[in-house]
Structure formats: C-alpha cells, structure tokens
Amino acid sequence: MTVDRKVRVAVVGAGPAGVYAADILTKTEGLDVTVDILDRDPTPFGLIRYGVAPDHPRIKEIIKALKRVMANEDIRFFGNVNFGTDIKLEDLKGFYDAVVFATGARRDRELSIPGVDLDGSYGAADFVYWYDGHPDAPREWDFQPHAKQVAVLGVGNVGLDVARILAKTADELLVTEIPDNVYEGLKNNATTDVHVFARRGPAQVKFTPMELRELSHSPTIDVVVHPEGYEFDHGSMEALAAAKSQKLVVKVLGDYLAKEPSGAPHRIHIHFCQNPVEILGEDGRVVGLRTEITELDGTGNVRGTGEFKDWPVQAVYRAIGYYSDNLPGLPFDSNGGVLPNDGGHVLDIDGSPIEGVYATGWIKRGPVGLIGHTKSDAAQTVKMLVEDLPQLPAPEFADREAFDRHLDSRGVEYTTWEGWEKLDAHEMSLGEGDTHPRERKKVVARDEMVGIARG
C-alpha cells in the first residue's frame, strides 16, 4: 500500500468501536494519517459512559485504555456534533479521504405484543440512559408507589443491569457516579420483587458469569431461580459442551437454585421457558404480564405449549436488545438494524460499495458481542480502508484545521478532548466534594457539559 499524501479519516462515533478504529489506523505501518472522531454527545466513550450500569466500575476500567488512545496527537475529538444535523456525508467527504461510521445502537428494539404502549411499559435503553445521566434522557423517572412487582423481559446483561438497579436501594448507589436527580428518583422506587423472564432454558441465556454472580453482592437482594422451566435438552447439552462461559453461567444459576433465600427485603426472580405474549392493562396502566409456557424442542429452541400464565406486575421493562438509528443520507437494513456492508465497506442499495465510506461496531454487525469484540471488528474494517486508499480521491480541503473552521462557520458549539479533560476533572471534583465522597459525580445537562468543556 502506497499513498503519497497525508491521509485524513473521520470516524463518526466515539464509543469503543470508533476509538479502536482510530487507534488501529494511527498504528498502521507506512501510513501517515490523522483521525478526527465525531460524536453527538459532548463526551467521548459512548455506551461505556452511558450504557454501563454505575455500579460496574470494573467495566469502566476500559475508559483508561481508551483515554490512552485519545491522548495520541494524531487523533482529535469533536463532541456535540450531530451527524445529519450539524454535518452530512457530503460535507465530510470534502475534508476527509474516508469516513468510518461507528455510531453503535442506542435505542430499544421493538417488541410487538399487545399492551406494549401502556403507561408503565418501558424500554430498557430509556431507563439505562436515565440512570446513567444521559443529557437527552428525562430528568425524572415515573416510579409509581404501587409498583412493587416489576417484570424485566430479556436475559442479556442489560436485563440484569436493569433488574439489579431496580432491586438495589438508592443509598447503595451513593458510592457510584450517579447524579443527584437519579438518586432522588431511585428513593421513590417501591420495587420489592423483580421478575426476569427467559423465553428459553438456562443453557440459552445471554448473561455473562460475572454479571450473574454480581446479582447477589447486595445485602438487600436475594436471587431466586425458579425450578419451573429449568430444563436441558440435547441441544442445550451440546451448547454447554461447546462454551465454557455458558457452563459457568449454568453453574451460577444452579447455585442460586439450590440456595435458600436469606429474607432480604428485595428479590430478583429468574423464570425460564416463559414467553411474554401480552402486557395487561387497566385504565391505561400496566397491571400484569401474560406469558405462554414454552418447552424445549430437543435442539435448544422452544415451542409454545398453549398454556398461559398471568403475573401481577405493575411495570414492565423491555430488555430484548438495542437497535441502531438510520443515518441520514445512507442506506439502512431495517431487518438487521445495520448499515448494509460487506464486512467493512458500506454498500449502496444496488450492493456496490460507497466510495470511501465504511462501518464498524454495532452499526456494522448488530448489537451482539462484548466490548472486546469491537477490536477485531475494527481491524477488519481498517484493513479494507487501507487497501482502498491508493484509489480514493484526496479531499478538497485537506488541511487539518479546515474542519474546525467549517464547524465554526456553522455555529456548532463542539467540544474537544481538552474540553473533555476539563469536564472530567470537574466531575471528579464534584465527587470528592459531595456529602458522600466518590470518584466522580456526573454532570447531566448538555448545555452545562458544553459550557464547562468550552469554558
């Protein structure tokens, strides 16, 4: 690969997928490249900041590694820049040789069952953004004093996070970075029992062992695994034989199943072979959940039995997966919730690659896999981009400051990496000075974050 010019690449999305792509690009041997990372949030790190539960500081350790990448002088950050509003693809092509989209998946995948629009039926992503202090989330959460029994639909790590936050007391979370409005909201949470529903059996859940074990770390929570549906068929045994992590998950579930409840004031119940078919309502509010009992069919999949059960719950949280936003001016695969691609190149509606446009992360392959998977994903995309560079036209405005001037001319109040460092220090000082000292306390309002970063 030979490119006899300084290469400029834009990465849209400052989560792990985007940062890893920038890191791999700047470490590519023989390539003289600078990378600008854009994000609609005023802050970097995407779902690490706004998708990981606040009581999971170990996962947030990834931020330290991402910070080291972002400290590279060949990488710049532009926050509070909204693709499709502040900037469009045609604009970016005028400043960069190539554009990599790493916008992830931010909203809830739809669940098409009756009652899903009732008051008290919530998307898990909305709840996560609220308790993580995302600037676009509402400041208050509608905790109802009668909602003591709550359902969580979905058996991935997000479902566990939601269940754990609902079951914990507000005071237990005061050691974390939650902002004041989240603490005040959680004090109004009356939940005593959280029921987590799995459509299939224990061998098919998507929890990771660590997440599952952490459910019992709170002294105020008992984890109750119900024996109904706790079954294994031939397909289940094959899956367990092939995946060590899944065997660990089943072992943890078995330990919970065998353990007697301690009498803790809150309980997380895990139910297997229960397929939600309707959210029940009365006067416009959730009053229950109807499930169809399922049975394993020998392959690890399930079939309905025609037998139904009603559960008296007063709120339902849908944690069945994330879904990506359609990006303006780009094709979109609505079935997969991704940019159509061949492993890296974004494809037009006729299946041909769009020149100089690439995808990585969840917008490329869907919201599956752990954070570490985005590294190999980014490597695949960057390899294609680098191979294409000799044939890609140079941008019209190639000097590094041209993009800054363009944003300034449009009145975009963008934030920078230096601005993030100011906000980072400010949040840490808020944590240190709080009545309950902790590592940091998040600033929530967008205009406040931008003001501090641009201060």
Side-chain angles (χ1 to χ4, degrees):
M1 189 278 299
T2 303
V3 181
D4 58 356
R5 65 177 186 270
K6 184 90 171 178
V7 174
R8 300 268 292 131
V9 176
V11 175
V12 183
V19 176
Y20 289 144
D23 187 36
I24 295 168
L25 271 165
T26 55
K27 290 179 178 176
T28 299
E29 189 174 351
L31 185 64
D32 187 7
V33 61
T34 58
V35 181
D36 289 346
I37 303 179
L38 289 56
D39 202 283
R40 70 179 186 179
D41 292 337
T43 57
F45 311 133
L47 285 181
I48 301 293
R49 179 173 169 93
Y50 291 124
V52 175
D55 58 349
H56 273 175
R58 286 194 304 279
I59 295 179
K60 289 178 183 285
E61 289 290 304
I62 297 170
I63 285 182
K64 292 181 180 178
L66 299 181
K67 281 183 176 180
R68 288 193 291 271
V69 175
M70 297 295 289
N72 184 338
E73 63 182 13
D74 289 327
I75 299 173
R76 300 192 301 172
F77 171 67
F78 291 86
N80 205 41
V81 178
N82 195 352
F83 179 80
T85 303
D86 299 320
I87 200 82
K88 56 186 178 180
L89 181 58
E90 289 177 24
D91 299 327
L92 292 176
K93 284 191 166 187
F95 299 99
Y96 301 97
D97 296 80
V99 182
V100 179
F101 286 93
T103 48
R106 287 177 172 252
R107 56 190 174 97
D108 289 290
R109 183 173 288 276
E110 292 182 1
L111 177 64
S112 298
I113 61 173
V116 74
D117 295 324
L118 288 166
D119 194 8
S121 169
Y122 307 109
D126 293 334
F127 186 53
V128 170
Y129 289 145
W130 174 76
Y131 68 58
D132 271 336
H134 192 279
D136 298 338
R139 294 291 184 273
E140 298 179 0
W141 195 260
D142 186 27
F143 289 113
Q144 294 295 311
H146 68 284
K148 298 182 182 299
Q149 305 274 341
V150 173
V152 174
L153 312 183
V155 284
N157 284 342
V158 174
L160 286 189
D161 283 349
V162 169
R164 196 179 60 256
I165 295 298
L166 286 168
K168 275 189 171 181
T169 64
D171 286 348
E172 286 179 88
L173 292 167
L174 267 179
V175 298
T176 74
E177 61 188 25
I178 60 169
D180 290 337
N181 69 292
V182 173
Y183 172 68
E184 293 300 325
L186 288 171
K187 285 201 300 186
N188 296 323
N189 176 23
T191 303
T192 59
D193 291 82
V194 182
H195 298 267
V196 181
F197 291 93
R199 191 172 55 86
R200 297 191 288 172
Q204 288 80 37
V205 297
K206 302 300 182 183
F207 309 140
T208 54
M210 183 182 73
E211 296 268 353
L212 188 59
R213 281 193 294 264
E214 286 182 349
L215 283 185
S216 63
H217 288 182
S218 167
T220 69
I221 297 174
D222 275 333
V223 181
V224 182
V225 172
H226 291 256
E228 297 83 7
Y230 192 86
E231 300 170 359
F232 303 87
D233 62 358
H234 179 70
S236 301
M237 300 310 294
E238 285 186 333
L240 294 178
K244 181 180 178 182
S245 63
Q246 201 66 22
K247 279 194 277 192
L248 290 173
V249 167
V250 169
K251 182 184 182 305
V252 177
L253 287 169
D255 292 342
Y256 285 142
L257 179 65
K259 188 177 180 180
E260 288 292 325
S262 68
H266 305 111
R267 289 154 295 280
I268 296 177
H269 306 261
I270 301 178
H271 305 276
F272 296 103
C273 290
Q274 300 284 344
N275 183 33
V277 295
E278 184 177 358
I279 300 173
L280 306 176
E282 188 176 294
D283 297 326
R285 286 202 63 87
V286 171
V287 297
L289 175 73
R290 178 166 295 158
T291 61
E292 181 180 14
I293 299 171
T294 62
E295 60 184 9
L296 294 167
D297 66 0
T299 68
N301 291 312
V302 292
R303 55 187 167 230
T305 63
E307 183 180 350
F308 298 88
K309 183 170 182 177
D310 290 352
W311 305 82
V313 299
Q314 298 82 47
V316 174
Y317 290 77
R318 310 180 305 274
I320 61 168
Y322 285 101
Y323 192 81
S324 297
D325 289 318
N326 191 345
L327 299 171
L330 288 167
F332 191 68
D333 176 357
S334 57
N335 290 326
V338 296
L339 290 173
N341 68 88
D342 62 359
H345 303 101
V346 174
L347 304 179
D348 212 338
I349 56 175
D350 61 1
S352 61
I354 301 176
E355 186 179 61
V357 181
Y358 305 84
T360 190
W362 283 2
I363 191 65
K364 164 183 163 181
R365 57 182 165 83
V368 293
L370 302 175
I371 292 168
H373 294 153
T374 57
K375 282 188 178 180
S376 57
D377 202 36
Q380 181 190 36
T381 294
V382 169
K383 183 176 184 291
M384 292 184 178
L385 188 160
V386 171
E387 289 173 349
D388 293 344
L389 277 174
Q391 288 77 46
L392 294 178
E396 181 179 359
F397 309 103
D399 66 289
R400 201 176 189 190
E401 287 70 36
F403 184 65
D404 313 45
R405 294 193 294 270
H406 178 75
L407 292 180
D408 289 334
S409 71
R410 299 200 62 177
V412 179
E413 291 192 319
Y414 59 88
T415 58
T416 63
W417 181 250
E418 292 75 16
W420 156 249
E421 291 180 321
K422 292 178 187 178
L423 177 59
D424 186 32
H426 179 78
E427 290 186 338
M428 293 178 76
S429 70
L430 290 178
E432 291 171 2
D434 195 66
T435 308
H436 300 271
R438 51 260 176 78
E439 183 179 357
R440 82 169 58 239
K441 184 163 72 172
K442 277 184 180 173
V443 175
V444 177
R446 180 180 292 269
D447 56 355
E448 186 179 355
M449 283 194 286
V450 171
I452 294 166
R454 291 174 61 89

